[in-house]
Amino acid sequence: MLKVRQDKHNHDRLYSVGAVPRLEDIPLVLESISTNYCLFLAIDATLISDESLRKTAKSLLERGLAYFCVWGQDCERVHDQLDLERIPDEPKGHIVMTTWHSKESLSDALWFFANCVEPDEGFKDH
């Protein structure tokens, strides 16, 4: 279940916070989120196969992922698997941004997500 929170400083931004038991459940929980969204994923991916990561990444991208931040064990590989599923020539204005935060604390990575993440201009129109 996701809990929705309004950003006190940026009233146009809503946050949904939740947890899922399996990686494959993430796209299912996001069905109630807007067409385009930014995702912060805290994960220990050391035991997750590249195939599972790429399958979930593809589903997230098809669902309208505009910006992806990932933190946790093996987060660089999670990031790279998502990048492999992106369209090679993304249309101007619809570039999916991705970052990993392997050397930062969870607090710092969340601060980055809340204060620095801005989706490409084309995603804001939806």
Side-chain angles (χ1 to χ4, degrees):
M1 172 156 213
L2 294 177
K3 295 182 180 182
V4 178
R5 299 182 189 272
Q6 184 89 32
D7 186 328
K8 294 178 189 175
H9 305 288
N10 182 351
H11 296 290
D12 293 335
R13 192 167 284 188
L14 293 174
Y15 291 94
S16 297
V17 180
V20 294
R22 300 174 315 140
L23 180 70
E24 298 81 17
D25 295 334
I26 296 171
L28 301 173
V29 197
L30 296 174
E31 288 180 0
S32 62
I33 304 298
S34 68
T35 306
N36 295 300
Y37 61 97
C38 303
L39 177 65
F40 181 92
L41 179 62
I43 188 171
D44 178 350
T46 53
L47 299 178
I48 301 174
S49 71
D50 287 351
E51 181 182 342
S52 291
L53 291 172
R54 289 185 68 174
K55 182 179 178 184
T56 299
K58 183 176 181 176
S59 182
L60 293 171
L61 290 162
E62 289 172 350
R63 175 69 188 91
L65 182 65
Y67 205 115
F68 179 69
C69 295
V70 61
W71 175 91
Q73 293 290 317
D74 212 10
C75 67
E76 292 178 34
R77 185 171 62 92
V78 176
H79 168 274
D80 293 346
Q81 295 306 308
L82 185 125
D83 272 352
L84 289 171
E85 289 300 318
R86 291 171 52 193
I87 301 169
D89 295 318
E90 292 173 322
K92 184 177 180 180
H94 283 82
I95 307 297
V96 177
M97 301 298 296
T98 61
T99 62
W100 75 86
H101 302 269
S102 61
K103 299 188 185 326
E104 299 170 33
S105 67
L106 177 57
S107 177
D108 287 346
L110 285 168
W111 183 92
F112 175 87
F113 184 74
N115 294 286
C116 300
V117 166
E118 282 294 325
D120 204 359
E121 285 297 317
F123 289 111
K124 295 177 186 177
D125 297 336
H126 297 93

